Amino acid sequence: MSNLAAVVAKPDVEVAIASLQEEGIHDESRRLVEQDDETVAIPITDPPAATRVRDVIEQVDPEPRAPDLPTLLEARGFSPAEIEAAPSSWAVIGDVILVQFGECERREAVAEALLELHRGADTVLHRAGIAGEKREPTVEVVAGSGDTETVHTEHGTKYALDLARVMFAPGNKTERARMGEVVEAGERVLDMFAGIGYFSLPMARAGAQVTAVEKNPTAFQYLSENARLNDVTDRLELILGDCREVVSVRAEAGEQYDRIVMGYYDASEYLDPAMAVLAPGGTVHMHEATPDALLWDRPVERLEAAAETAGRTVLDIDRRRVKTHSEGVTHVVLDATIE
């Protein structure tokens, strides 16, 4: 057989491709082909030895790999100016393509081209923004089936979500994976802004005992589903509510945590309650959207001031850039060890 393909479920495409690439058998000269409503055929050069697949088939008429988006758009009659205005980046979240179209006027045509590029995707969403304390998204279906609910897999962690109802930041992928690597089995972790489990799930999968607090009922619904989906219900304590109220009760009870995750741009406003339940020598991961002119002074000063107010000492701070938040503003995280 010369034109082999591995058949996998659509939600597993991203993980399967990464595994097949690791095995060195992903055939990048051919494109993914949708088998049916549930599965996709990924081209391979040899049968997989380590990657889980549903079946290995031989493609009778294999399709060559699709060109890049500009080439596709040119073939569809787009002018150079229209191609220049088309988005240059996007994210495939499960079987949904999430993209910001900006000044692009031919959105539907571009969206159809994106669906051709990503055969495992069913819907293209324009992402207008995230608003409010509950971090609720504003999106618009541009092409495809219009189904915005999906299951996205990163580094083995499965995230069920509805991209029209809860936020998902593709640019935080590395940070999500990192949290599953820095935590140690048995650590007590408090995730003050858990969302659908962005950081809680990788840490629980790594063996930590995680208390995940989320105030958005919709996000909490998916957080609960994801705990079951990742088989970590025994390591995730799920609390629907305001993290300040939860922490106040825990502090009065004398509870402490080895690690506190604050994955919220205004996390510095919540440092005082966090200090009240952080164990001596524990670690705080404080996120912030910081103007570049204030890096790293503002986040460090805020963290050190909160520690001083609590009578604590900052022993060490690791500074990390996560991604560009907006023009002139960077999403950063401080990993601080506090006595």
Side-chain angles (χ1 to χ4, degrees), residues 11 93-96 148-154 156-168 176 194-198 201 217-230:
I93 310 299
D95 52 14
V96 177
T148 58
E149 192 170 38
T150 189
V151 177
H152 178 64
T153 305
E154 286 181 359
T157 301
K158 297 178 181 180
Y159 299 93
L161 72 160
D162 186 336
L163 287 160
R165 302 175 67 199
V166 297
M167 66 156 286
F168 191 88
R176 286 189 287 271
I196 64 169
Y198 313 106
L201 293 171
T218 302
F220 186 81
Q221 170 193 334
Y222 285 104
L223 173 62
S224 302
E225 180 178 343
N226 289 331
R228 295 188 294 271
L229 192 61
N230 289 275

